[in-house]
């Protein structure tokens, strides 16, 4: 077996170094290397080897991102274990309400036979991207953080925590919402906390979900039920994203299992028969983080390093994939023209492409959360009327589906399923 870690450190001169071996970082490395095999690309990640295999969560992958993954050659491996979302319904109620009226329904297709989103296990997504990276000859250094870097004219010198040094023309920071590289680059953020946490767990249930996703707007925050592929033994499963006030979320996750299951049942209901929690629930604090700039000399931010938004619209990961597609297109075109791929004027093309779209989505999710995560009667009346009006306007519903699928606006080639 080839020691990729040793290979990467022996190759001290690179074209592109990606910091972060999550989905965004790996997709960036694969996109760039596949389009320009001549580029020397490596990935470095602070997490120990194998940590990604312990992630039991699942993510909603929009249609545009599925097209990109297909173009990269990994969707065929992922698809058999992915669950298409064939229908989406939206309700607005309290947990004590005996009936939850459905205000809005969406057909889950953006084109005949193409679902607007799929639920994919994080392990499957990460594993497929890693195997693709290995086939392309991308070196992955794990368990070592970037400790510092120096920008020096035509390149950037990156210092790793274990003393190794790598040189590159471009450093892609995909190291998460608390990005240390963003801070090292002196890029400021707009940031605030919501006082909410997202509880994530998998629920097994008696009856099949038939591909239906549901989002209940409750006073403390949205409660989303997202369909998963049945387990190997045929058990019906759904992923839960449950937003609560942070202090309540901590008590629920750390408290008695019976109390948690009772509160879950109050929100989930018994429409799918008896339910049980299939894994250990975990909670993450929610906030809005927007980088004031997406680029600096020799550095480009991507994914959560550039933007962390509320999960109310399920767009966080898909925004990251859109960053990847845009950045890859800009860098590849610049390289074909013989331009310096890490020069600020090249990177600013990426920033101009992505920053407004990201700001718009951040504001949209912030407004939606403030509008729906409350129990103020006049607001409830206004939003329920609004949802009802959208339900009666097919063209507007189609517009929202296109937005959710990532196929609206100035879409990069990869998200259209086209090669760069």
């Amino acid at each position: 077996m080839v020691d990729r870690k040793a290979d990467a450190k022996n190759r001290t001169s690179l074209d592109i170094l990606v910091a972060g071996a999550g989905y965004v970082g790996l997709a960036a490395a694969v996109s760039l290397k596949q389009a320009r095999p001549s580029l020397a690309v490596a990935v470095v990640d602070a997490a120990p080897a194998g940590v990604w295999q312990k992630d039991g969560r699942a993510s909603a992958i929009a249609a545009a991102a599925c097209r990109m993954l297909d173009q990269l050659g990994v969707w065929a491996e992922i698809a058999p274990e992915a669950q298409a979302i064939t229908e989406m319904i939206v309700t607005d109620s309290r947990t004590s309400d005996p009936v939850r009226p459905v205000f809005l329904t969406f057909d889950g297709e953006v084109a005949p036979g193409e679902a607007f989103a799929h639920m994919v296990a994080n392990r499957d997504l990460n594993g497929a991207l890693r195997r693709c990276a290995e086939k392309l000859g991308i070196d992955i250094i794990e368990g070592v953080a970037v400790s510092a870097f120096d920008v020096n004219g035509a390149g950037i010198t990156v210092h790793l925590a274990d003393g190794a040094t790598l040189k590159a023309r471009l450093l892609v920071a995909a190291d998460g919402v608390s990005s240390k590289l963003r801070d090292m680059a002196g890029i400021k953020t707009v940031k605030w906390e919501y006082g909410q946490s997202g509880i994530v767990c998998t629920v097994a249930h008696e009856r099949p979900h038939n591909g239906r996703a549901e989002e209940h707007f409750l006073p403390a925050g949205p409660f989303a039920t997202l369909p998963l592929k049945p387990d190997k033994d045929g058990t019906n499963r759904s992923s839960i994203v449950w937003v609560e006030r942070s202090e309540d979320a901590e008590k629920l996750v750390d408290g008695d299992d019976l109390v948690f299951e009772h509160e879950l049942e109050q929100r989930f209901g018994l429409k799918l028969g008896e339910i049980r929690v299939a894994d250990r629930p975990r909670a993450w604090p929610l906030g809005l983080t927007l980088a004031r700039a997406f680029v600096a000399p020799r550095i480009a931010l991507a994914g959560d390093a550039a933007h962390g938004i509320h999960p109310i619209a399920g767009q966080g990961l898909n925004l990251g994939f859109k960053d990847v597609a845009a950045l890859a297109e800009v860098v590849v075109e610049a390289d074909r023209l013989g331009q310096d791929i890490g020069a600020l004027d090249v990177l600013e093309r990426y920033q101009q492409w992505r920053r407004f779209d990201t700001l718009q989505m951040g504001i949209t999710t912030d407004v939606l959360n403030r509008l729906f995560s409350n129990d103020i009667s006049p607001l409830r009346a206004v939003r329920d009327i609004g949802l009802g009006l959208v339900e009666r306007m097919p063209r507007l519903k189609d517009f929202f589906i296109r937005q959710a699928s990532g196929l609206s606006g100035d879409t990069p080639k990869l998200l259209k399923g086209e090669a760069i």
Side-chain angles (χ1 to χ4, degrees):
M1 182 177 290
V2 177
D3 187 347
R4 291 289 184 194
K5 184 173 178 178
D7 282 356
K9 290 189 177 181
N10 290 333
R11 186 188 298 179
T12 57
S13 183
L14 301 162
D15 292 300
I16 301 166
L17 178 64
V18 179
Y23 333 108
V24 170
L26 290 169
V30 168
S31 300
L32 290 159
K33 184 68 174 179
Q34 187 182 81
R36 297 294 282 173
S38 59
L39 292 174
V41 181
V43 178
V44 62
D45 192 84
V51 167
W52 62 275
Q53 294 174 311
K54 300 177 182 178
D55 188 349
R57 297 172 295 168
S59 299
I61 309 298
C66 292
R67 292 182 183 185
M68 182 181 81
L69 293 170
D70 189 42
Q71 179 62 38
L72 297 181
V74 298
W75 184 247
E77 179 182 343
I78 296 169
E81 300 303 321
Q83 170 63 54
I85 297 178
T86 58
E87 183 184 10
M88 177 79 183
I89 70 169
V90 178
T91 75
D92 185 12
S93 61
R94 304 177 180 89
T95 53
S96 58
D97 290 348
V99 178
R100 291 180 181 172
V102 175
F103 287 98
L104 192 55
T105 62
F106 291 104
D107 180 357
E109 289 190 336
V110 293
E114 182 180 13
F116 89 92
H118 285 77
M119 289 299 296
V120 176
N122 290 1
R123 284 191 295 262
D124 293 341
L125 179 58
N126 196 301
L129 285 168
R130 282 172 177 267
R131 285 183 283 276
C132 184
E134 291 174 0
K135 289 178 184 176
L136 291 170
I138 297 170
D139 300 319
I140 301 176
I141 309 168
E142 297 182 278
V144 184
V146 174
S147 59
F149 57 78
D150 305 304
V151 177
N152 37 44
I156 183 168
T157 302
V158 180
H159 305 281
L160 303 184
D162 63 356
T165 299
L166 298 172
K167 293 182 179 180
R169 291 195 286 159
L170 172 63
L171 174 62
V172 179
D175 55 337
V177 71
S178 300
S179 172
K180 293 183 179 179
L181 293 181
R182 182 185 64 216
D183 296 340
M184 291 178 197
I187 297 175
K188 304 298 183 182
T189 61
V190 176
K191 183 176 182 178
W192 58 78
E193 304 297 329
Y194 287 121
Q196 297 171 311
S197 290
I199 301 171
V200 179
C201 66
T202 300
V203 173
H205 42 83
E206 190 177 357
R207 291 192 284 272
H209 46 58
N210 296 319
R212 173 188 278 188
E214 300 186 8
E215 185 155 30
H216 305 294
F217 289 118
L218 300 170
F223 178 90
T225 305
L226 304 165
L228 295 176
K229 199 84 169 179
D231 213 340
K232 291 181 180 179
D233 61 1
T235 302
N236 297 305
R237 302 179 304 143
S238 292
S239 177
I240 299 300
V241 181
W242 171 5
V243 177
E244 279 287 345
R245 296 176 183 88
S246 292
E247 59 270 26
D248 295 334
E250 291 174 9
K251 291 176 183 176
L252 284 165
V253 169
D254 296 334
D256 188 274
D257 291 345
L258 289 176
V259 173
F260 182 88
E261 290 188 0
H262 172 74
E263 293 295 328
L264 174 65
E265 188 176 290
Q266 291 292 307
R267 292 155 178 79
F268 192 97
L270 294 175
K271 56 190 174 296
L272 297 181
E274 295 295 327
I275 65 171
R276 63 177 175 83
V277 180
D279 60 3
R280 181 158 186 79
R282 299 180 66 184
W284 283 266
L286 303 177
L288 178 68
T289 303
L290 296 173
R292 291 185 178 273
F294 280 20
V295 300
R298 300 284 160 195
I299 298 171
L301 307 184
D304 287 351
H307 43 74
I309 65 173
H310 197 281
I312 193 167
Q315 290 299 304
L317 175 58
N318 295 294
L319 278 182
F321 281 144
K322 201 166 186 177
D323 293 344
V324 167
L327 179 62
E329 193 166 326
V330 167
V331 170
V332 167
E333 288 181 355
D335 193 53
R336 285 175 179 153
L337 293 171
Q339 297 173 341
D340 182 353
I341 62 173
L344 195 55
D345 62 334
V346 170
L347 298 180
E348 281 177 348
R349 298 174 207 164
Y350 161 67
Q351 176 169 265
Q352 290 170 4
W353 197 346
R354 293 298 303 130
R355 190 162 62 167
F356 177 74
D357 178 53
T358 299
L359 176 63
Q360 188 177 43
M361 182 58 72
I363 292 172
T364 299
T365 55
D366 181 71
V367 170
L368 285 174
N369 183 52
R370 294 177 190 277
L371 177 62
F372 284 94
S373 298
N374 63 73
D375 199 21
I376 302 171
S377 296
L379 279 180
R380 286 177 60 87
V382 169
R383 69 199 188 204
D384 292 349
I385 291 170
L387 290 173
L389 288 173
V390 173
E391 175 68 11
R392 290 163 177 78
M393 301 173 72
R395 290 186 180 179
L396 190 55
K397 288 173 68 173
D398 289 344
F399 168 78
F400 285 132
I401 281 289
R402 297 289 294 181
Q403 288 281 97
S405 66
L407 296 171
S408 62
D410 188 6
T411 307
K413 290 180 180 179
L414 282 174
L415 294 181
K416 298 176 185 177
E418 300 172 2
I420 300 173

